[in-house]
Amino acid sequence: MPRWSPDAALRLEAAAMALFTDQGYGGTTVPQIAEAAGLTTRTFFRHFSDKRDVLFLRDREFPQAVSAFMASVPSESDGTDTVRAGLAAACRGVQDWREQMARRRSIVHSEPALLERDLLRSHYLARAIEESLHRRGIDPERARTLAAVAVTCFDLAVGRWLEGPADVPLEDCLASVWNDMRTSLTG
């Protein structure tokens, strides 16, 4: 069996997604995933606690990526502009993942136990945004509010993007949701 490498994680994710799609999440075992990826079960458990970790593999880096995007926004930008610019950059970064995200979303929505983990993903993203805003000197309560609104907008935009026409960019969906949110809140 090959040694662990970054490519092994991608093989593992692809193998798991194919098995989850074909057999269902509950019908797929860790040994099946490891075998399909060309790894041993022991190697799998050296890097992941269970098969949920593979399903949410990309979520490990996403909050840090959003933080990095926000850090690159000019310092004179206010909190709202910083969040919008950071999320817009993140949208461009995941634009090519539409098919994988749609497959994962379908799997997550088919298993109630996975919805909790998906909520945790949103929580980690909100924390990263909030911490990024704190580092920029934004008041803690405003940072917490902006982070919650940003994550809600992002999650709604991803849903709209995955359910809508394939030629509409995620960034456009985010802008539309953000505008809808602003209109709803200001009357």
Side-chain angles (χ1 to χ4, degrees):
M1 293 287 158
R3 294 180 52 121
W4 185 256
S5 70
D7 290 340
L10 296 176
R11 277 196 320 274
L12 191 63
E13 180 186 41
M17 293 300 285
L19 289 167
F20 294 154
T21 300
D22 293 343
Q23 301 176 175
Y25 178 82
T28 302
T29 66
V30 168
Q32 290 172 327
I33 295 168
E35 182 181 343
L39 302 169
T40 64
T41 302
R42 183 175 178 177
T43 299
F44 178 96
F45 283 117
R46 199 173 302 136
H47 299 279
F48 301 98
S49 61
D50 59 29
K51 62 187 177 181
R52 286 179 308 166
D53 284 349
V54 177
L55 187 61
F56 292 94
L57 178 66
R58 294 178 194 256
D59 291 348
R60 291 179 178 184
E61 294 86 22
F62 192 68
Q64 290 78 24
V66 171
S67 291
F69 291 134
M70 289 175 59
S72 70
V73 175
S75 59
E76 64 272 4
S77 298
D78 74 0
T80 304
D81 289 342
T82 300
V83 169
R84 287 186 71 176
L87 287 177
C91 287
R92 291 187 296 274
V94 299
Q95 182 66 40
D96 293 337
W97 298 355
R98 181 185 167 107
E99 182 182 326
Q100 296 93 325
M101 289 173 73
R103 288 174 70 191
R104 187 186 88 153
R105 185 172 192 241
S106 176
I107 293 163
V108 167
H109 285 244
S110 73
E111 292 285 331
L114 296 174
L115 291 172
E116 180 180 335
R117 179 70 178 263
D118 199 45
L119 288 173
L120 196 56
R121 172 202 52 82
S122 293
H123 169 77
Y124 290 138
L125 179 57
R127 288 289 309 250
I129 292 170
E130 185 178 343
E131 290 169 6
S132 292
L133 291 170
H134 281 244
R135 285 191 295 275
R136 294 177 76 91
I138 304 296
D139 171 73
E141 287 302 316
R142 179 163 162 68
R144 186 174 302 114
T145 300
L146 277 172
V149 169
V151 169
T152 298
C153 287
F154 184 76
D155 288 345
L156 289 170
V158 168
R160 192 176 285 184
W161 177 56
L162 295 176
E163 294 165 8
D167 62 335
V168 176
L170 175 55
E171 187 175 357
D172 290 357
C173 292
L174 178 66
S176 175
V177 168
W178 198 272
N179 288 333
D180 291 349
M181 181 75 74
R182 185 178 57 240
T183 300
S184 296
L185 293 174
T186 60

